[in-house]
Amino acid sequence: MATASTTRTFTRLATRSLLKPSAPLRPSPTTSTFGCRAFRQSTRRGYASEAGSASPTPPKGNTGLYFGLGAGVLALAGGAYLYTNSNADGTINLKEGSAKETKGLFTPTKEDYQKVYDAVAHELVEHDEYDDGSYGPVLVRLAWHCSGTYDKETGTGGSNGATMRFAPEGDHGANAGLKAARDFLQPVKEKFPWISYSDLWTLAGICALQEMQGPVIPWRPGRQDRDVSLCTPDGRLPDGAKEQSHLRAIFGRMGFDDREIVALSGAHALGRCHTDRSGFEGPWTFSPTTLTNDYYKLLLDETWNYRKWNGPKQFQDKTTKTLMMLPTDMALVKDAGFKKHVERYAKDNETFFNEFRDVVVKLFELGVPFTTSEEDRMVLKPTS
């Protein structure tokens, strides 16, 4: 009995040390999510992110348990911690716990992933104090930024790995505020410890888009978490202060063409910028917790002037002076190759949704070594 007690104590201590690279276990009462009760038909402004402290430095040394290449520690269950290895084929090895509680092979099904989706959606309903009542935009941004580091020439980056858990990548300027999203999802990770952070972050992005009245977007699991050594270099994500040549360079590195660049930009219908993160300030649309083609309509129909303020160059709508556009947004209507797609999406929301859906699937799968086929993608049912 003394040996079993000692084993349990050691395992708990090892687990606590390993959890340090990830976000704190619970969001504070003041950092909550958007409520579906209010936001689905609301025009309240939902903001894109929240400033967060730098990601903690990962532990050094060999503890026998590590966060890397799919390894992790299961949350407390039945009084004992369990250790798991995820496999490339999507199966999970459940190794016996300190009291020999569970052992065997666990293969998550669509129903298991639907439960994860429902848990994220539930949290979005329960926590509606974040910004103007929406965690949705920051979950989309987390999924976008962990995926948008992909480099087709080197095969590095992308959503596989969830390396934003670690300081080198989590501290990149473009990722400022995303600690709020990682903290928000941590309780879901604890409830479903078998899912990788990589899969959870992209699944949560799909959930947020669908719950914010966006299109139904197919998704498939298969991402494995990696260690700090595979963090991507800074500078791979778009800089809102630049224009069309920059957009083509950044998105071209990932393998996107002009049409796909404009379609992905439609995510700016959601959330807003913050001066303490990007330096910019304001929402793009009047309903930033609902995905529509209003972003494109406003780009074409509104008059945009330089904002006179003590901040970086950005544009302000002439009519209400409450909306903003970035130089990268205005590049979409200044460049003929981009503008024709802006016009298509402004005219037809269904066209935007269809092409946005396809390009989001592509973005979230960049660089992932799936062992499943595209036909294995699943559609997770929205709660609304």
Side-chain angles (χ1 to χ4, degrees), residues 215-218 263 351-362:
V216 172
I217 303 174
T351 296
F352 164 53
F353 269 23
N354 289 338
E355 297 186 17
F356 180 77
R357 174 200 62 218
D358 293 344
V359 77
V360 167
V361 170
K362 178 178 176 178

Side-chain angles (χ1 to χ4, degrees), residues 8-333:
R8 284 192 293 271
T9 300
F10 172 79
T11 306
R12 291 188 182 102
L13 290 173
T15 301
R16 288 169 188 160
S17 70
L18 283 167
L19 287 175
K20 288 181 181 179
S22 62
L25 297 182
R26 297 281 177 183
S28 68
T30 57
T31 51
S32 300
T33 83
F34 65 105
C36 295
R37 294 182 295 267
F39 88 87
R40 286 196 178 101
Q41 297 299 332
S42 171
T43 56
R44 292 188 301 162
R45 294 173 189 163
Y47 306 150
S49 64
E50 173 175 299
S53 60
S55 303
T57 303
K60 297 179 180 179
N62 180 13
T63 65
L65 306 176
Y66 63 99
F67 280 103
L69 299 175
V73 179
L74 288 179
L76 186 62
Y81 286 94
L82 300 176
Y83 173 46
T84 178
N85 275 344
S86 61
N87 305 314
D89 62 1
T91 59
I92 309 294
N93 291 326
L94 291 181
K95 297 187 177 180
E96 62 187 12
S98 59
K100 301 184 183 299
E101 304 84 356
T102 305
K103 185 177 181 180
L105 193 67
F106 169 56
T107 305
T109 65
K110 179 181 177 181
E111 288 69 30
D112 293 309
Y113 289 109
Q114 183 68 57
K115 290 176 182 178
V116 178
Y117 179 104
D118 292 345
V120 174
H122 175 76
E123 291 296 302
L124 294 177
V125 172
E126 290 301 310
H127 302 283
D128 61 357
E129 297 88 9
Y130 184 78
D131 278 344
D132 272 345
S134 175
Y135 255 101
V138 74
L139 294 185
V140 174
R141 183 168 167 247
L142 174 65
W144 204 118
H145 281 215
C146 75
S147 303
T149 57
Y150 181 67
D151 184 334
K152 66 180 181 180
E153 298 300 324
T154 63
T156 58
S159 63
N160 192 53
T163 48
M164 201 193 300
R165 291 172 294 145
F166 304 111
E169 191 170 329
D171 290 348
H172 291 169
N175 293 330
L178 289 179
K179 181 178 180 295
R182 300 194 299 270
D183 287 355
F184 170 78
L185 291 174
Q186 187 61 30
V188 179
K189 181 68 168 75
E190 293 172 17
K191 186 175 181 180
F192 302 96
W194 49 265
I195 191 171
S196 67
Y197 281 100
S198 309
D199 275 343
L200 176 60
W201 290 358
T202 52
L203 188 156
I206 296 294
C207 176
L209 287 166
Q210 293 187 169
E211 296 300 308
M212 290 188 290
Q213 300 185 38
V216 172
I217 303 174
W219 175 88
R220 58 175 161 162
R223 299 161 188 82
Q224 298 184 14
D225 295 334
R226 296 178 171 183
D227 62 29
V228 66
S229 68
L230 294 177
C231 284
T232 57
D234 201 357
R236 288 193 176 185
L237 294 167
D239 181 346
K242 298 184 179 180
E243 298 190 351
Q244 51 264 46
S245 60
H246 171 75
L247 286 175
R248 288 192 171 101
I250 291 292
F251 286 91
R253 188 203 69 234
M254 291 184 269
F256 292 113
D257 59 25
D258 284 1
R259 179 186 62 83
E260 293 170 316
I261 293 171
V262 178
L264 278 175
S265 298
H268 280 178
L270 303 169
R272 68 155 58 200
C273 291
H274 300 76
T275 55
D276 59 348
R277 297 152 215 177
S278 64
F280 302 105
E281 182 182 55
W284 288 269
T285 70
F286 293 110
S287 55
T289 56
T290 303
L291 184 63
T292 69
N293 63 344
D294 284 355
Y295 167 74
Y296 303 107
K297 292 179 179 179
L298 287 164
L299 271 173
L300 293 172
D301 298 341
E302 184 57 71
T303 298
W304 297 94
N305 299 316
Y306 286 117
R307 179 181 176 181
K308 297 178 181 179
W309 73 311
N310 187 27
K313 176 182 174 181
Q314 68 176 66
F315 296 83
Q316 184 179 65
D317 71 299
K318 181 180 179 181
T319 303
T320 70
K321 295 182 172 58
T322 61
L323 302 179
M324 70 97 206
M325 291 287 173
L326 304 173
T328 47
D329 298 311
M330 299 307 298
L332 301 184
V333 289

